[in-house]
């Protein structure tokens, strides 16, 4: 999600990401959001100082970078509960899911390499794997 938002922002600075896992993280510079709170769920601080959390924060970020259509889809009654439940699950399990995705991608890249297909590295600006 971060990469998508950064790509859509195109360097305009409409979204600034803060490394909440850093020992340099300071709640006083982030509307009083504690490190534990920040690690539990995503937060978005608007220019007026108001704070959004969870899927509300995600929808606001999508909108500000021109992905309002995606935010609109997330707000449809049919999808709202599913999106919220999915976000809650990913938020609670993001570390283990991240490791699982890394393993899955490494396996796919190895398979492609054995087939003679060129794969990309982590330093590439854009990288995609054909499934």
């Amino acid at each position: 999600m971060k990469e998508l938002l950064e790509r859509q922002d195109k360097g305009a600075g409409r979204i600034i990401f803060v490394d909440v896992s850093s020992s340099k993280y300071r709640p006083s510079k982030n509307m009083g959001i504690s490190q534990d709170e920040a690690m539990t769920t995503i937060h978005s601080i608007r220019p007026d100082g108001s704070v959004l959390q969870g899927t509300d924060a995600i929808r606001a970020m999508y909108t500000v970078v021109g992905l309002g259509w995606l935010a609109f889809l997330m707000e449809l009654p049919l999808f709202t509960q599913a999106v919220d439940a999915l976000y809650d699950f990913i938020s609670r399990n993001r570390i283990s899911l991240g490791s699982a995705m890394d393993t899955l991608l490494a396996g796919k890249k190895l398979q492609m390499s054995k087939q003679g297909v060129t794969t990309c590295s982590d330093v590439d600006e854009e990288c995609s794997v054909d499934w």
Side-chain angles (χ1 to χ4, degrees), residues 85-105:
L86 180 62
Y87 173 77
D88 289 344
F89 173 78
I90 291 171
S91 182
R92 280 191 314 271
N93 299 288
R94 69 185 178 283
I95 294 173
S96 59
L97 288 173
S99 298
M101 283 304 296
D102 290 344
T103 302
L104 181 63
L105 285 172

Side-chain angles (χ1 to χ4, degrees), residues 41-44 52-61 74 84 87-88:
T41 190
I42 192 167
H43 290 73
S44 176
L52 301 173
Q53 297 180 44
T55 54
D56 289 335
I58 293 169
R59 284 190 285 267
M61 288 186 285
M74 291 175 67
D84 288 345
Y87 173 77
D88 289 344

Side-chain angles (χ1 to χ4, degrees), residues 2-17 65:
K2 180 180 180 226
E3 291 81 14
L4 171 67
L5 290 167
E6 287 175 329
R7 188 170 48 249
Q8 284 296 122
D9 191 40
K10 299 175 184 161
R14 292 172 288 194
I15 297 178
I16 300 168
F17 291 94
V65 297

